[in-house]
Amino acid sequence: MSPLTGTTRAEPGTGDPPVPLLRDGGGLAGLAWLTWRQHRWALVTSLVVSAALAAWMLWLAADMTGVFHQCHDTICPEGSPQQARLSAPFGPVNLGDKLLLGEEYVPLLIGVFLGVPLLAREFEQRTLLLAWSQDVSPMRWMWTRLLLLGLVVAALTAGVSAAAGHLARVLHDVGDGSMFQGQLFLDSGMLPLAAGLSWFVVGAALGAAVRRVLPAALAVVAGFVAALVAVDWRYPWLVAPVSRFLPFAAPGSGTPLGANPLVIQGGIQIGPPDHVVNVFDAAHRPVTFPELNRWCPNVFQLGGEDSVACFTRNGLTHHVVYQPGSRIPEFHLLLASGYTALGLLALAAVWLVVRRTALSAG
Amino acid sequence: MNQDPEPDVCLDLGPGNGPIAVEVRELTKRYGRVWALRDCGFRLPAHRIIALVGANGAGKSTLMSVVSGLLPATAGSVLVDGRPVTSRRRARADGAAGDGGSRVAILGQDKPLYRDFSAADMLRFGRWTNRVWDQRRALAWLARFEVPLDRPCARLSGGQRTQVALAVALGTRPTLLLLDEPLADLDPVARTEVAGELLAEAADGGMTVVLSTHVVAELAGISDHLLLLAGGRPVLAGGTEELLARHVRLSGPRAERPPLAGTVVRARHTDRQSTFTVRLPGATPADTAGRADAAGGARVTAPGWSARPVPLDDLVISYLRASGTAPLGLEAAA
């Protein structure tokens, strides 16, 4: 709405000087003030928590990078003081892992503390009648507040997301984890930004639908946990994986799958009396337990390195199903698209609820 | 002589050729299978204080919500200052609620306010969410009732919260102010003061005030017009004084009919005595003004009969009983 020019009106029946009738209400500035005034504590808390989280992540990343440089930009060898420092119980690697784990739940906090109250609190405290009976239309009121809070959420999660992505890359450098697996994957590529925005709108939609803050918050928690489990379970299969037979690699010879693979299937199982899973000979024929025992006698008594060396000597292979590391951007895009679709669905739900809500004064 | 008068389909409260604030035509509102308003039609005069009276569940809040445009009607139409308000939300979005359009403010039964906002914040809210805002009027209202500006609404008394809500409503400079049970949280002194100030605001500001209540005693000295709802329909409407003048209570020896011409609104009999509440014939205020004297008993000539004026609360209850609505929840005294 464009702001209107001011005007004056005489106080009827009093002979007093003209009374200014302010006519700039209903604009963006007014709704921004209202949004800030209603949600200022949640916004300030979010800002402080986000800043602290991002600062902590960056500090840990800088600490680990320093150690990484001490080890000549390679993984610090086992037993070295640098490795001991990195992997101490409260060392940077463990703390970084925990922070990235916590980062996965930031969208949940956004949904519960910023999304849900947006409409649910208005319904619960019956202030919608007050808000919607002014000159600002309910749709304008709702979209403007969603947009303003959404921008704040986007800015905060973008900052935290960038810090988390940087931390994930440093953790990848100093350890041997794949950037395609677990928190390193889910907390990088701006996925936290997409998830944060999506769960903010989902929170608003559930708040609008349930109309009570606590039940809506519980619904967001349930939905988030379900989505988290579903993503963890299904994301490796978003694109048809690559499968191939691989020779057992000698320790230290590097992975034949390239950098940052996401191994979906590929483990082997060996057990008496005749339990051998996923071990094949050079012709890709399954190996039986007697055959394996003949090639590598007392295979159980061999250490891990010796058994692998034996398998390599005898030309044995195993079948691996995996996603190559080159697909990481594609997977990030797919998951971000999923979050975006979820957010758009929630936006449509909010619009529908506001459109269909009829208020009564009584 | 008629018994048990049928409710009028359309009741005209308009004074002759005077301006009409609200015109409702065949208004129906249903919640599922429940009829809140049914073929409701009436006109309300402008620049008056109109009491909307009815038992709990009579449809008062629904009627106000529909008139304000917050609640869509199932059927029928509502005109405020001659403009349809079937979708006030759309009208606001299109800017029709700005200068030149009708401005309707509604204050809900529980006077919703943002709990952590101070009274000053609430005025700021009103200023930022309305195209027209009169800060001086709103501030003057709060000052008149000594409401602290800096205290959060949650820490104000019920009466003070009502004053804040009224200040926000008045600050929007409405041409029609709809107040749902506005005086319930106020003590009798404050109630009288608020009523007086509302009357003054209505007179000075060219505003029409519709206030709903189920406490009939609240109306004394507040409203100059009455609209009585029962079962989602208007059953009585008119200027308060005129209505009182048009009705008389006749008491005398047991009889089937009263000794005066008119419509029997309510008849009560004991073994030896009958009491009738009668609506006297006469369509114009002038006629009814003449009948007011009759209510004093001067024109009742039948032996043993006396005529007395009907108190407003008795009149309301008589009509509610006649309309078949049990007046549960309707309080004759505050």
Side-chain angles (χ1 to χ4, degrees):
Chain A
M1 186 191 69
S2 60
L4 302 173
T5 55
T7 186
T8 59
R9 177 170 167 177
E11 181 78 349
T14 63
D16 286 347
V19 177
L21 293 182
L22 301 173
R23 302 188 63 209
D24 54 354
L28 187 63
L31 288 173
W33 172 83
L34 179 61
T35 308
W36 161 252
R37 183 63 187 80
Q38 280 190 283
H39 301 278
R40 59 184 178 179
W41 293 118
L43 288 172
V44 168
T45 307
S46 303
L47 180 64
V48 170
V49 169
S50 301
L53 199 59
W56 198 359
M57 286 177 174
L58 293 176
W59 180 77
L60 286 176
D63 189 24
M64 284 187 285
T65 304
V67 176
F68 186 59
H69 290 330
Q70 289 174 25
C71 296
H72 311 290
D73 292 352
T74 58
I75 295 175
C76 296
E78 288 290 335
S80 66
Q82 289 87 355
Q83 184 60 252
R85 184 170 165 236
L86 285 174
S87 55
F90 291 98
V93 169
N94 279 322
L95 284 177
D97 277 340
K98 302 239 173 354
L99 277 184
L100 287 185
L101 182 64
E103 165 63 21
E104 279 190 61
Y105 291 87
V106 166
L108 171 64
L109 299 179
I110 290 170
V112 167
F113 291 107
L114 285 171
V116 166
L118 190 64
L119 283 162
R121 194 191 290 157
E122 302 270 1
F123 274 110
E124 200 167 77
Q125 300 183 355
R126 293 187 53 79
T127 43
L128 272 187
L129 182 71
L130 175 72
W132 291 4
S133 60
Q134 310 304 317
D135 283 348
V136 178
S137 73
M139 282 296 174
R140 183 184 177 80
W141 175 87
M142 187 269 294
W143 287 126
T144 308
R145 285 153 46 97
L146 260 181
L147 177 70
L148 292 171
L149 282 179
L151 284 174
V152 174
V153 168
L156 293 181
T157 48
V160 175
S161 197
H166 178 60
L167 178 64
R169 280 188 296 277
V170 173
L171 277 171
H172 164 68
D173 288 343
V174 301
D176 55 357
S178 166
M179 284 295 287
F180 214 154
Q181 281 182 314
Q183 294 147 26
L184 297 188
F185 172 74
L186 293 173
D187 288 337
S188 56
M190 287 292 167
L191 272 188
L193 170 63
L197 277 173
S198 167
W199 283 100
F200 164 67
V201 186
V202 169
L206 284 171
V210 178
R211 302 187 173 194
R212 295 275 173 204
V213 172
L214 191 59
L218 292 176
V220 171
V221 171
F224 182 84
V225 171
L228 200 64
V229 171
V231 166
D232 263 349
W233 175 47
R234 290 305 301 171
Y235 90 83
W237 303 93
L238 286 176
V239 174
V242 176
S243 64
R244 54 190 280 207
F245 287 93
L246 287 180
F248 287 94
S253 62
T255 170
L257 300 178
N260 296 312
L262 171 61
V263 177
I264 302 169
Q265 292 170 354
I268 64 170
Q269 292 177 16
I270 303 168
D274 191 10
H275 182 71
V276 178
V277 175
N278 200 26
V279 180
F280 301 87
D281 62 15
H284 301 161
R285 191 179 57 82
V287 172
T288 62
F289 187 78
E291 287 171 329
L292 188 64
N293 209 32
R294 192 170 62 248
W295 292 326
C296 300
N298 303 318
V299 68
F300 291 114
Q301 293 169 10
L302 295 174
E305 289 186 10
D306 289 341
S307 57
V308 169
C310 177
F311 294 164
T312 307
R313 235 180 6 259
N314 288 283
L316 298 183
T317 62
H318 63 293
H319 188 249
V320 177
V321 178
Y322 71 104
Q323 300 284 0
S326 59
R327 290 182 178 176
I328 288 178
E330 183 183 348
F331 271 64
H332 274 151
L333 191 64
L334 282 171
L335 277 179
S337 302
Y339 283 126
T340 304
L342 180 65
L344 290 175
L345 203 64
L347 273 182
V350 170
W351 172 79
L352 198 65
V353 170
V354 171
R355 185 180 164 81
R356 293 178 66 91
T357 297
L359 297 177
S360 177
Chain B
M1 183 68 59
N2 299 322
Q3 298 273 340
D4 299 333
E6 285 294 314
D8 296 327
V9 172
C10 184
L11 298 169
D12 193 346
L13 276 159
N17 296 322
I20 299 297
V22 180
E23 182 169 357
V24 170
R25 296 174 187 157
E26 298 175 357
L27 187 65
T28 294
K29 177 63 187 176
R30 259 178 30 183
Y31 298 103
R33 292 182 178 177
V34 179
W35 296 77
L37 299 170
R38 203 164 189 163
D39 290 333
C40 189
F42 57 83
R43 284 187 287 180
L44 303 180
H47 312 149
R48 303 293 177 90
I49 305 281
I50 297 150
L52 177 60
V53 184
N56 289 334
K60 303 188 297 294
S61 297
T62 299
L63 177 60
M64 287 194 157
S65 304
V66 173
V67 170
S68 73
L70 283 172
L71 195 62
T74 306
S77 64
V78 178
L79 303 176
V80 173
D81 296 333
R83 293 163 179 255
V85 290
T86 48
S87 178
R88 184 164 173 255
R89 289 183 192 179
R90 196 176 303 130
R92 280 202 301 269
D94 295 342
D99 199 28
S102 59
R103 297 187 57 77
V104 183
I106 184 168
L107 181 54
Q109 206 172 81
D110 43 8
K111 288 93 184 174
L113 296 171
Y114 292 114
R115 292 177 189 173
D116 58 336
F117 279 31
S118 65
D121 285 335
M122 284 308 305
L123 298 195
R124 206 168 172 191
F125 160 82
R127 171 184 170 172
W128 282 121
T129 53
N130 287 283
R131 292 191 177 91
V132 178
W133 177 252
D134 190 337
Q135 178 78 356
R136 202 168 88 173
R137 189 186 202 186
L139 275 174
W141 185 273
L142 293 180
R144 211 171 297 160
F145 294 98
E146 298 177 347
V147 177
L149 287 175
D150 56 348
R151 193 176 300 168
C153 291
R155 289 171 50 203
L156 295 175
S157 67
Q160 287 174 323
R161 282 200 290 271
T162 298
Q163 305 299 2
V164 175
L166 278 168
V168 173
L170 288 168
T172 62
R173 281 268 173 202
T175 55
L176 175 63
L177 177 59
L178 304 168
L179 306 173
D180 195 7
E181 307 275 0
L183 310 177
D185 294 329
L186 302 178
D187 60 61
V189 176
R191 198 177 292 171
T192 309
E193 287 179 13
V194 168
E197 294 296 339
L198 277 178
L199 280 168
E201 292 283 351
D204 290 348
M207 178 175 66
T208 305
V209 180
V210 179
L211 56 89
S212 77
T213 183
H214 65 278
V215 184
V216 183
E218 277 185 349
L219 304 178
I222 298 178
S223 65
D224 45 16
H225 277 69
L226 176 74
L227 174 61
L228 179 60
L229 277 188
R233 294 172 190 258
V235 293
L236 182 66
T240 310
E241 293 301 320
E242 296 154 19
L243 287 173
L244 291 176
R246 283 184 64 180
H247 291 81
V248 65
R249 177 179 291 165
L250 300 169
S251 300
R254 184 177 174 93
E256 291 302 312
R257 296 189 304 177
L260 267 185
T263 304
V264 175
V265 178
R266 190 182 179 199
R268 281 176 294 178
H269 303 284
T270 62
D271 288 343
R272 293 192 296 176
Q273 192 177 31
S274 293
T275 304
F276 295 95
T277 302
V278 177
R279 185 170 71 200
L280 302 171
T284 66
D287 290 341
T288 56
R291 300 282 181 175
D293 296 333
R299 297 191 183 179
V300 180
T301 55
W305 284 88
S306 64
R308 284 181 293 128
V310 186
L312 188 58
D313 48 357
D314 276 5
L315 183 67
V316 167
I317 289 175
S318 296
Y319 268 90
L320 290 179
R321 287 196 188 282
S323 69
T325 305
L328 295 174
L330 189 78
E331 298 171 25

